[in-house]
Amino acid sequence: MTSRGLLHCQACQGQTSLTAGTIFQDTRKPLRMWFMAMWYITNQKNGVSALGLQRVLGLGSYETAWTWLHKLRRAMVRPGRDALSGTVEVDETYVGGVERGKRGRNTETKAIVAVAAEENGKGIGRIRLCRIKDVSGASLLPFVQSAAVPGAVIHTDGWSGYSGLTAAGYKHEVTVVSASPDPAHVTMPRVHNIAALLKRWLLGTHQGGVQHVHLDYYLDEFTFRFNRRRSKARGLLFHRLACQAVAVGPATYDAIVGNAESGHLPAQLE
């Protein structure tokens, strides 16, 4: 350890920081403050806003709080996490304001979010969420392949975008809602319940201020919280987030805001 707190390699004579290669890389704030932020975030059942985090930590800059939240949301996705299995309901939902003159799957201004939810008896197991470009098979099939293990039973409505699931190695269970005596929220209750909870969370905690361009970050947070909703130990959630924070690479403010080519689209201030 050098006088500047860097690790020194006797073999190559190189120096590196303890935080190099993590979301904490190049931070000017003490790690204790980061841990306070992580504890606060994992202890709030419905999540926190950047303004709320700024106030709690006493940060002088809203931009700093906003950037920290997005970095921590990136860490909420565990690399190599297990895919969904068993029977999985899959559908899409639309996030955004009222759009006049559009019905069904047509949209011009709303973000399209694909939803996958495991069946767990009559309840919901784990979930996956992802913003997709459109509702074509070219968008829906890759989502299912990333969300569910091959051979899983995928339960969808009769939309043609799901027609390639059988050829892709899934057992495709189809419910044609228009031909069913029951409405969609009854025939596929899990995905509809998740969609409703997601929209309520975005409107409540974040006051509907989430822009489409960085919606994926919020979907990660919602998924992280929902999949751990039964955890009674807040300390375990903190530990999980801390472990993932050192497994996820660094991202600067400029990268978060301006990198439109990454898997997570650029962000704008709330």
Side-chain angles (χ1 to χ4, degrees), residues 131-142:
R131 184 162 68 94
I132 57 177
K133 179 181 178 181
D134 52 41
V135 293
S136 67
S139 295
L140 292 171
L141 184 56

Side-chain angles (χ1 to χ4, degrees), residues 24 34-35 37-43 72 75-76 78 224 228 231 233-247:
F24 310 118
W34 276 95
F35 295 152
M38 293 160 66
W39 181 257
Y40 177 62
I41 290 169
T42 53
N43 273 272
L72 290 170
M76 289 179 180
R78 177 170 59 85
F224 176 86
R228 294 162 178 81
S231 176
R234 295 291 101 182
L236 183 59
L237 293 182
F238 171 84
H239 175 73
R240 175 66 68 185
L241 183 55
C243 289
Q244 293 174 195
V246 297

Side-chain angles (χ1 to χ4, degrees), residues 30-247:
L31 287 179
R32 181 176 181 274
M33 184 171 287
W34 276 95
F35 295 152
M36 290 172 61
M38 293 160 66
W39 181 257
Y40 177 62
I41 290 169
T42 53
N43 273 272
Q44 302 302 307
K45 181 179 179 181
N46 295 319
V48 300
S49 66
L51 184 59
L53 183 64
Q54 180 189 8
R55 290 172 176 170
V56 168
L57 297 183
L59 295 170
S61 167
Y62 174 91
E63 181 180 287
T64 298
W66 179 87
T67 305
W68 280 27
L69 276 176
H70 277 286
K71 288 185 176 185
L72 290 170
R73 287 178 181 123
R74 291 179 71 249
M76 289 179 180
V77 175
R78 177 170 59 85
R81 59 183 176 174
D82 296 335
L84 308 183
S85 59
T87 299
V88 181
E89 290 182 10
V90 177
D91 201 3
E92 324 92 56
T93 189
Y94 296 79
V95 174
V98 177
E99 192 175 44
R100 295 182 179 180
K102 298 293 179 181
R103 299 183 62 185
R105 283 176 160 90
N106 295 318
T107 183
E108 290 182 355
T109 61
K110 293 187 178 183
I112 308 171
V113 177
V115 182
E118 279 181 332
E119 290 189 11
N120 182 13
K122 294 184 178 180
I124 306 172
R126 296 171 297 158
I127 66 170
R128 295 287 185 269
L129 302 171
C130 182
R131 184 162 68 94
I132 57 177
K133 179 181 178 181
D134 52 41
V135 293
S136 67
S139 295
L140 292 171
L141 184 56
F143 166 70
V144 175
Q145 290 174 317
S146 68
V149 297
V153 178
I154 307 299
H155 183 194
T156 73
D157 59 18
W159 177 244
S160 61
Y162 297 110
S163 60
L165 287 174
T166 300
Y170 295 96
K171 299 174 183 177
H172 191 191
E173 179 181 329
V174 180
T175 297
V176 180
V177 177
S178 60
S180 173
D182 297 317
H185 70 272
V186 173
T187 59
M188 298 179 64
R190 295 166 187 81
V191 286
H192 283 82
N193 190 11
I194 294 302
L197 290 172
L198 171 65
K199 293 174 183 178
R200 192 182 309 161
W201 180 72
L202 292 172
L203 288 172
T205 300
H206 302 291
Q207 301 297 307
V210 176
Q211 301 295 319
H212 295 349
V213 290
H214 61 278
L215 177 60
D216 278 311
Y217 293 106
Y218 293 88
L219 299 182
D220 287 344
E221 180 181 356
F222 183 87
T223 300
F224 176 86
R225 292 183 181 281
F226 186 88
N227 287 346
R228 294 162 178 81
R229 65 195 182 281
R230 294 190 179 93
S231 176
K232 297 180 180 179
R234 295 291 101 182
L236 183 59
L237 293 182
F238 171 84
H239 175 73
R240 175 66 68 185
L241 183 55
C243 289
Q244 293 174 195
V246 297

